[in-house]
Amino acid sequence: MAGVRMVTRSRSRGPGAGPRGGGEEAAQLRRGEAAAEGKKSHSPAKRQRKTQKLSVAYEVSDHEKGEGAKPPGTPGWEPLAWRQQLLNIRTMRSEKDAPVDQLGAEHCYDPSAPPKVRRYQVLLSLMLSSQTKDQVTAGAMQRLCARGLTVDSILQTDDSTLGTLIYPVGFWRSKVKYIKQTSAILQQRYGGDIPATVAELVALPGVGPKMAHLAMAVAWGAVSGIVDTHVHRIANRLGWTKTATKSPEKTRAALEAWLPRCGRVGAGGASLSLPPPLTSHLHRELWSEINGLLVGFGQQTCLPVHPRCQDCLNRGLCPAARSLCGP
């Protein structure tokens, strides 16, 4: 076990209490004791002291102490009922009929466009989706795609026309500015493509962590994190965070500390859609599934205000159900 050293401590041991265990080190110690016994063979016998039981302790490195390491065999924290809660949510979401399932970012691009253009369209749909319902975002993307949505076409569109095309998305005036600025950066630095790392994506004007992680999953096929306001709300209601979290970013970190991770989901830009739900082994890697699963659940059942607890299979397992909807 890396970073852990087993230390044995014993108080005075009798001559018959040789080292325990095997190995070369133990053999050398036995030979040394035998030689010592030979030298003492002519000495008067001394009263043997009572052999005391070995005390075994584990000495943990400073690095592991800093990470809150636990003794070997101690399981890490995870929510008690999360497996059954997840199964119930999968059952409730089996129809795939929430707005996110039809109008989410993975559906708001032109499938006939080249991969580089599709990735750009995915990023723009995510930028438009902030503080905006999926239906409104989808409408704005349809109007943009109808004009041929590319980096060049956006840079050639004046601000007034662009504003008319994306209205009424939330904060549309600010988004006109961010879309223009980001498109110029993509043209100058990335050849019209989008960056392939979260760090580079969040450095673009108007692109936040949620958009960056979703862009990595949908556009690049790389699951890099879990974050959404629906996920933030539902995770806290279900008790999926060890302590209450105050922001989606803190919720993301709390979930990723225990929830099994998913690797790549698709090759390069050839596949721009997330895989089907993972339905077999509960402890499989889940990051690729959890965002869309909980977003749809939050849109249909676990609403921000007046959640439909009476229709929820997790009512008896949800710590927040009683306070939200009564007994």
Side-chain angles (χ1 to χ4, degrees):
M1 180 175 296
V4 177
R5 184 170 68 254
M6 190 173 78
V7 181
T8 59
R9 302 186 181 94
S10 64
R11 295 175 184 172
S12 43
R13 304 172 57 201
R20 299 183 180 183
E24 184 178 349
E25 182 179 354
Q28 291 176 349
L29 289 174
R30 293 191 189 99
R31 288 195 293 270
E33 288 181 355
E37 286 297 325
K39 292 180 180 179
K40 296 178 181 179
S41 57
H42 301 291
S43 302
K46 295 183 179 180
R47 182 180 179 182
Q48 295 185 357
R49 296 182 181 180
K50 184 179 180 181
T51 302
Q52 297 189 8
K53 188 177 180 179
L54 284 173
S55 173
V56 179
Y58 290 94
E59 186 175 273
V60 183
S61 68
D62 292 337
H63 173 70
E64 287 185 314
K65 290 177 181 177
E67 293 184 353
K70 299 178 180 181
T74 303
W77 181 89
E78 65 178 37
L80 292 177
W82 77 271
R83 295 172 178 81
Q84 187 58 52
Q85 290 169 336
L86 179 61
L87 270 181
N88 290 340
I89 294 173
R90 282 176 174 157
T91 299
M92 291 183 280
R93 292 277 287 113
S94 60
E95 296 297 324
K96 293 294 178 183
D97 53 359
V100 69
D101 299 314
Q102 306 299 325
L103 305 170
E106 61 269 34
H107 304 288
C108 292
Y109 62 86
D110 179 2
S112 64
K116 181 168 69 173
V117 175
R118 281 182 279 168
R119 289 192 286 268
Y120 172 68
Q121 292 177 356
V122 167
L123 180 61
L124 251 62
S125 72
L126 290 169
M127 294 175 70
L128 293 173
S129 70
S130 176
Q131 302 296 313
T132 305
K133 292 183 177 180
D134 289 332
Q135 297 91 325
V136 176
T137 300
M141 286 298 296
Q142 288 174 0
R143 293 189 293 273
L144 289 170
C145 287
R147 294 169 58 93
L149 180 53
T150 65
V151 169
D152 291 337
S153 70
I154 287 295
L155 292 176
Q156 293 169 10
T157 302
D158 62 81
D159 291 3
S160 177
T161 301
L162 182 55
T164 301
L165 290 170
I166 69 172
Y167 180 85
V169 301
F171 303 99
W172 62 272
R173 290 185 180 86
S174 296
K175 290 177 182 178
V176 166
K177 178 181 65 175
Y178 293 145
I179 288 172
K180 282 293 192 70
Q181 292 174 342
T182 289
S183 298
I185 293 172
L186 297 181
Q187 184 185 62
Q188 295 166 7
R189 300 182 188 175
Y190 300 98
D193 208 341
I194 71 171
T197 68
V198 170
E200 291 174 294
L201 285 165
V202 296
L204 297 171
V207 178
K210 170 188 172 181
M211 302 175 204
H213 287 298
L214 288 175
M216 290 297 297
V218 178
W220 289 114
V223 178
S224 57
I226 311 163
V227 58
D228 188 275
T229 53
H230 289 286
V231 176
H232 167 59
R233 177 179 73 255
I234 294 167
N236 276 274
R237 285 178 177 177
L238 290 176
W240 283 12
T241 59
K242 193 171 184 179
T243 58
T245 52
K246 301 297 184 182
S247 70
E249 270 297 285
K250 290 184 178 179
T251 301
R252 177 185 64 80
L255 286 175
E256 292 172 6
W258 66 266
L259 189 68
R261 175 175 182 144
C262 180
R264 295 187 62 82
V265 288
S271 176
L272 292 176
S273 59
L274 293 177
L278 305 174
T279 55
S280 55
H281 185 217
L282 270 177
H283 210 65
R284 290 177 66 176
E285 300 171 324
L286 302 173
W287 286 17
S288 64
E289 178 191 13
I290 206 70
N291 200 83
L293 192 69
L294 293 190
V295 169
F297 179 56
Q299 291 175 335
Q300 294 181 308
T301 306
C302 198
L303 306 175
V305 181
H306 306 304
R308 297 168 182 164
C309 298
Q310 67 277 7
D311 301 324
C312 183
L313 298 179
N314 281 327
R315 182 170 184 173
L317 298 174
C318 178
R322 181 176 294 272
S323 60
L324 289 170
C325 302

